[in-house]
mmCIF file of all heavy atoms in Angstrom:
data_model
loop_
_atom_site.group_PDB
_atom_site.id
_atom_site.type_symbol
_atom_site.label_atom_id
_atom_site.label_comp_id
_atom_site.label_asym_id
_atom_site.label_seq_id
_atom_site.Cartn_x
_atom_site.Cartn_y
_atom_site.Cartn_z
ATOM 1 N N GLY T 493 291.205 315.443 99.211
ATOM 2 C CA GLY T 493 292.120 314.715 98.323
ATOM 3 C C GLY T 493 291.401 313.490 97.809
ATOM 4 O O GLY T 493 290.161 313.441 97.798
ATOM 5 N N THR T 494 292.162 312.511 97.423
ATOM 6 C CA THR T 494 291.555 311.302 96.878
ATOM 7 C C THR T 494 290.747 310.562 97.949
ATOM 8 O O THR T 494 289.683 310.031 97.683
ATOM 9 C CB THR T 494 292.650 310.383 96.311
ATOM 10 O OG1 THR T 494 293.590 311.203 95.606
ATOM 11 C CG2 THR T 494 292.079 309.367 95.364
ATOM 12 N N LYS T 576 284.920 319.185 93.528
ATOM 13 C CA LYS T 576 285.230 317.746 93.567
ATOM 14 C C LYS T 576 284.021 316.888 93.943
ATOM 15 O O LYS T 576 284.156 315.883 94.644
ATOM 16 C CB LYS T 576 286.390 317.461 94.535
ATOM 17 C CG LYS T 576 287.603 318.343 94.279
ATOM 18 C CD LYS T 576 288.712 318.116 95.259
ATOM 19 C CE LYS T 576 289.680 319.298 95.188
ATOM 20 N NZ LYS T 576 290.854 319.184 96.023
ATOM 21 N N ASP T 612 296.406 322.228 100.731
ATOM 22 C CA ASP T 612 297.456 321.231 100.482
ATOM 23 C C ASP T 612 298.797 321.862 100.110
ATOM 24 O O ASP T 612 299.852 321.296 100.401
ATOM 25 C CB ASP T 612 297.004 320.213 99.423
ATOM 26 C CG ASP T 612 296.398 320.879 98.202
ATOM 27 O OD1 ASP T 612 296.270 322.124 98.198
ATOM 28 O OD2 ASP T 612 296.059 320.159 97.251
ATOM 29 N N ILE T 632 302.411 322.878 93.985
ATOM 30 C CA ILE T 632 301.651 321.689 93.601
ATOM 31 C C ILE T 632 301.514 321.688 92.085
ATOM 32 O O ILE T 632 301.124 322.707 91.492
ATOM 33 C CB ILE T 632 300.234 321.710 94.224
ATOM 34 C CG1 ILE T 632 300.325 321.810 95.733
ATOM 35 C CG2 ILE T 632 299.415 320.517 93.743
ATOM 36 C CD1 ILE T 632 299.962 320.597 96.510
ATOM 37 N N VAL T 633 301.881 320.571 91.474
ATOM 38 C CA VAL T 633 301.596 320.399 90.050
ATOM 39 C C VAL T 633 300.969 319.023 89.883
ATOM 40 O O VAL T 633 301.641 318.026 89.641
ATOM 41 C CB VAL T 633 302.856 320.517 89.163
ATOM 42 C CG1 VAL T 633 302.448 320.653 87.699
ATOM 43 C CG2 VAL T 633 303.716 321.694 89.578
ATOM 44 N N GLY T 634 299.686 318.972 90.092
ATOM 45 C CA GLY T 634 298.951 317.713 89.979
ATOM 46 C C GLY T 634 297.775 317.955 89.058
ATOM 47 O O GLY T 634 297.943 318.422 87.941
ATOM 48 N N THR T 635 296.590 317.614 89.548
ATOM 49 C CA THR T 635 295.381 317.892 88.773
ATOM 50 C C THR T 635 295.321 319.378 88.431
ATOM 51 O O THR T 635 295.052 319.770 87.310
ATOM 52 C CB THR T 635 294.136 317.515 89.595
ATOM 53 O OG1 THR T 635 294.305 316.185 90.062
ATOM 54 C CG2 THR T 635 292.880 317.630 88.758
ATOM 55 N N GLY T 636 295.559 320.197 89.452
ATOM 56 C CA GLY T 636 295.672 321.632 89.234
ATOM 57 C C GLY T 636 297.075 322.084 89.593
ATOM 58 O O GLY T 636 297.967 321.250 89.781
ATOM 59 N N SER T 701 298.784 322.270 84.257
ATOM 60 C CA SER T 701 298.520 321.147 85.156
ATOM 61 C C SER T 701 297.943 319.914 84.473
ATOM 62 O O SER T 701 297.502 319.937 83.325
ATOM 63 C CB SER T 701 297.597 321.606 86.276
ATOM 64 O OG SER T 701 296.308 321.782 85.772
ATOM 65 N N GLY T 702 297.979 318.845 85.212
ATOM 66 C CA GLY T 702 297.642 317.521 84.722
ATOM 67 C C GLY T 702 296.261 317.398 84.104
ATOM 68 O O GLY T 702 296.048 316.617 83.187
ATOM 69 N N MET T 703 295.344 318.189 84.606
ATOM 70 C CA MET T 703 293.987 318.076 84.098
ATOM 71 C C MET T 703 293.893 318.526 82.636
ATOM 72 O O MET T 703 292.955 318.150 81.942
ATOM 73 C CB MET T 703 293.074 318.948 84.949
ATOM 74 C CG MET T 703 291.621 318.666 84.754
ATOM 75 S SD MET T 703 290.769 319.170 86.246
ATOM 76 C CE MET T 703 289.097 319.010 85.710
ATOM 77 N N TYR T 704 294.851 319.295 82.167
ATOM 78 C CA TYR T 704 294.692 319.916 80.855
ATOM 79 C C TYR T 704 295.741 319.563 79.806
ATOM 80 O O TYR T 704 295.473 319.701 78.617
ATOM 81 C CB TYR T 704 294.655 321.444 81.016
ATOM 82 C CG TYR T 704 293.656 321.884 82.049
ATOM 83 C CD1 TYR T 704 294.057 322.269 83.313
ATOM 84 C CD2 TYR T 704 292.287 321.851 81.762
ATOM 85 C CE1 TYR T 704 293.125 322.646 84.275
ATOM 86 C CE2 TYR T 704 291.355 322.218 82.720
ATOM 87 C CZ TYR T 704 291.785 322.616 83.977
ATOM 88 O OH TYR T 704 290.870 322.967 84.923
ATOM 89 N N THR T 739 296.856 312.914 80.616
ATOM 90 C CA THR T 739 298.176 313.505 80.855
ATOM 91 C C THR T 739 299.199 312.444 81.216
ATOM 92 O O THR T 739 300.378 312.575 80.907
ATOM 93 C CB THR T 739 298.069 314.567 81.955
ATOM 94 O OG1 THR T 739 297.161 315.568 81.500
ATOM 95 C CG2 THR T 739 299.405 315.205 82.241
ATOM 96 N N LYS T 740 298.771 311.355 81.814
ATOM 97 C CA LYS T 740 299.753 310.319 82.142
ATOM 98 C C LYS T 740 300.367 309.709 80.879
ATOM 99 O O LYS T 740 301.490 309.204 80.922
ATOM 100 C CB LYS T 740 299.140 309.235 83.027
ATOM 101 C CG LYS T 740 298.129 308.374 82.367
ATOM 102 C CD LYS T 740 297.709 307.232 83.294
ATOM 103 C CE LYS T 740 296.743 306.306 82.581
ATOM 104 N NZ LYS T 740 295.808 305.669 83.477
ATOM 105 N N PHE T 741 299.675 309.801 79.747
ATOM 106 C CA PHE T 741 300.270 309.318 78.497
ATOM 107 C C PHE T 741 301.500 310.148 78.129
ATOM 108 O O PHE T 741 302.450 309.641 77.555
ATOM 109 C CB PHE T 741 299.278 309.378 77.326
ATOM 110 C CG PHE T 741 298.083 308.481 77.484
ATOM 111 C CD1 PHE T 741 296.882 308.786 76.865
ATOM 112 C CD2 PHE T 741 298.163 307.320 78.238
ATOM 113 C CE1 PHE T 741 295.778 307.968 77.001
ATOM 114 C CE2 PHE T 741 297.058 306.488 78.380
ATOM 115 C CZ PHE T 741 295.869 306.816 77.758
ATOM 116 N N LEU T 742 301.448 311.426 78.438
ATOM 117 C CA LEU T 742 302.616 312.264 78.139
ATOM 118 C C LEU T 742 303.841 311.701 78.847
ATOM 119 O O LEU T 742 304.920 311.622 78.281
ATOM 120 C CB LEU T 742 302.405 313.718 78.597
ATOM 121 C CG LEU T 742 301.724 314.670 77.614
ATOM 122 C CD1 LEU T 742 300.239 314.424 77.584
ATOM 123 C CD2 LEU T 742 302.022 316.113 77.948
ATOM 124 N N SER T 743 303.643 311.329 80.098
ATOM 125 C CA SER T 743 304.764 310.774 80.856
ATOM 126 C C SER T 743 305.313 309.534 80.184
ATOM 127 O O SER T 743 306.516 309.377 80.019
ATOM 128 C CB SER T 743 304.318 310.421 82.271
ATOM 129 O OG SER T 743 304.076 311.587 83.004
ATOM 130 N N THR T 744 304.432 308.638 79.794
ATOM 131 C CA THR T 744 304.888 307.396 79.174
ATOM 132 C C THR T 744 305.561 307.674 77.839
ATOM 133 O O THR T 744 306.632 307.146 77.548
ATOM 134 C CB THR T 744 303.689 306.456 78.948
ATOM 135 O OG1 THR T 744 302.858 306.527 80.093
ATOM 136 C CG2 THR T 744 304.135 305.053 78.702
ATOM 137 N N ASP T 816 304.652 318.867 95.481
ATOM 138 C CA ASP T 816 303.790 317.692 95.435
ATOM 139 C C ASP T 816 303.018 317.705 94.123
ATOM 140 O O ASP T 816 302.953 318.728 93.444
ATOM 141 C CB ASP T 816 302.821 317.694 96.628
ATOM 142 C CG ASP T 816 302.318 316.277 96.931
ATOM 143 O OD1 ASP T 816 302.622 315.351 96.157
ATOM 144 O OD2 ASP T 816 301.621 316.115 97.956
ATOM 145 N N GLY T 817 302.414 316.604 93.806
ATOM 146 C CA GLY T 817 301.613 316.515 92.592
ATOM 147 C C GLY T 817 302.148 315.449 91.661
ATOM 148 O O GLY T 817 303.350 315.346 91.445
ATOM 149 N N THR T 818 301.241 314.649 91.149
ATOM 150 C CA THR T 818 301.643 313.506 90.335
ATOM 151 C C THR T 818 302.337 313.922 89.046
ATOM 152 O O THR T 818 303.271 313.261 88.602
ATOM 153 C CB THR T 818 300.403 312.640 90.019
ATOM 154 O OG1 THR T 818 299.758 312.352 91.257
ATOM 155 C CG2 THR T 818 300.778 311.343 89.359
ATOM 156 N N LEU T 819 301.899 314.996 88.439
ATOM 157 C CA LEU T 819 302.547 315.415 87.192
ATOM 158 C C LEU T 819 304.025 315.710 87.453
ATOM 159 O O LEU T 819 304.905 315.224 86.751
ATOM 160 C CB LEU T 819 301.843 316.649 86.615
ATOM 161 C CG LEU T 819 302.468 317.250 85.348
ATOM 162 C CD1 LEU T 819 302.534 316.233 84.221
ATOM 163 C CD2 LEU T 819 301.698 318.483 84.892
ATOM 164 N N TYR T 820 304.297 316.493 88.480
ATOM 165 C CA TYR T 820 305.692 316.813 88.800
ATOM 166 C C TYR T 820 306.486 315.554 89.124
ATOM 167 O O TYR T 820 307.607 315.383 88.678
ATOM 168 C CB TYR T 820 305.750 317.780 89.993
ATOM 169 C CG TYR T 820 307.161 318.166 90.379
ATOM 170 C CD1 TYR T 820 307.765 319.291 89.821
ATOM 171 C CD2 TYR T 820 307.897 317.391 91.274
ATOM 172 C CE1 TYR T 820 309.070 319.635 90.149
ATOM 173 C CE2 TYR T 820 309.198 317.725 91.605
ATOM 174 C CZ TYR T 820 309.787 318.850 91.042
ATOM 175 O OH TYR T 820 311.071 319.178 91.364
ATOM 176 N N MET T 822 305.818 312.295 88.407
ATOM 177 C CA MET T 822 305.855 311.176 87.465
ATOM 178 C C MET T 822 306.385 311.532 86.083
ATOM 179 O O MET T 822 306.847 310.667 85.360
ATOM 180 C CB MET T 822 304.454 310.573 87.293
ATOM 181 C CG MET T 822 303.868 309.989 88.559
ATOM 182 S SD MET T 822 304.879 308.664 89.232
ATOM 183 C CE MET T 822 304.622 307.409 87.987
ATOM 184 N N HIS T 823 306.275 312.783 85.706
ATOM 185 C CA HIS T 823 306.706 313.114 84.351
ATOM 186 C C HIS T 823 308.229 313.032 84.247
ATOM 187 O O HIS T 823 308.933 313.533 85.108
ATOM 188 C CB HIS T 823 306.224 314.513 83.955
ATOM 189 C CG HIS T 823 306.397 314.783 82.496
ATOM 190 N ND1 HIS T 823 307.598 315.184 81.968
ATOM 191 C CD2 HIS T 823 305.543 314.681 81.457
ATOM 192 C CE1 HIS T 823 307.455 315.319 80.651
ATOM 193 N NE2 HIS T 823 306.223 315.018 80.322
HETATM 194 P P1 ADP N 901 295.675 316.098 93.141
HETATM 195 O O1 ADP N 901 296.344 317.211 92.416
HETATM 196 O O2 ADP N 901 294.224 316.013 92.848
HETATM 197 O O3 ADP N 901 296.005 316.059 94.583
HETATM 198 P P2 ADP N 901 297.626 314.319 92.049
HETATM 199 O O4 ADP N 901 298.724 315.175 92.545
HETATM 200 O O5 ADP N 901 297.758 312.869 92.281
HETATM 201 O O6 ADP N 901 296.231 314.741 92.572
HETATM 202 O O7 ADP N 901 297.518 314.586 90.487
HETATM 203 C C1 ADP N 901 296.615 313.864 89.706
HETATM 204 C C2 ADP N 901 296.750 314.302 88.298
HETATM 205 O O8 ADP N 901 298.034 313.999 87.814
HETATM 206 C C3 ADP N 901 295.792 313.617 87.384
HETATM 207 O O9 ADP N 901 294.690 314.426 87.194
HETATM 208 C C4 ADP N 901 296.556 313.469 86.083
HETATM 209 O O10 ADP N 901 296.224 314.528 85.242
HETATM 210 C C5 ADP N 901 297.964 313.615 86.460
HETATM 211 N N1 ADP N 901 298.690 312.357 86.321
HETATM 212 C C6 ADP N 901 298.345 311.132 86.759
HETATM 213 N N2 ADP N 901 299.287 310.238 86.455
HETATM 214 C C7 ADP N 901 300.263 310.911 85.821
HETATM 215 C C8 ADP N 901 301.516 310.560 85.268
HETATM 216 N N3 ADP N 901 301.962 309.310 85.296
HETATM 217 N N4 ADP N 901 302.244 311.529 84.680
HETATM 218 C C9 ADP N 901 301.794 312.791 84.647
HETATM 219 N N5 ADP N 901 300.637 313.172 85.136
HETATM 220 C C10 ADP N 901 299.878 312.260 85.732
#
Side-chain angles (χ1 to χ4, degrees):
T494 318
K576 309 177 197 184
D612 48 357
I632 303 251
V633 193
T635 308
S701 73
M703 194 155 171
Y704 309 102
T739 300
K740 69 173 184 210
F741 296 153
L742 273 77
S743 290
T744 319
D816 203 354
T818 308
L819 177 58
Y820 180 91
M822 298 300 291
H823 192 278

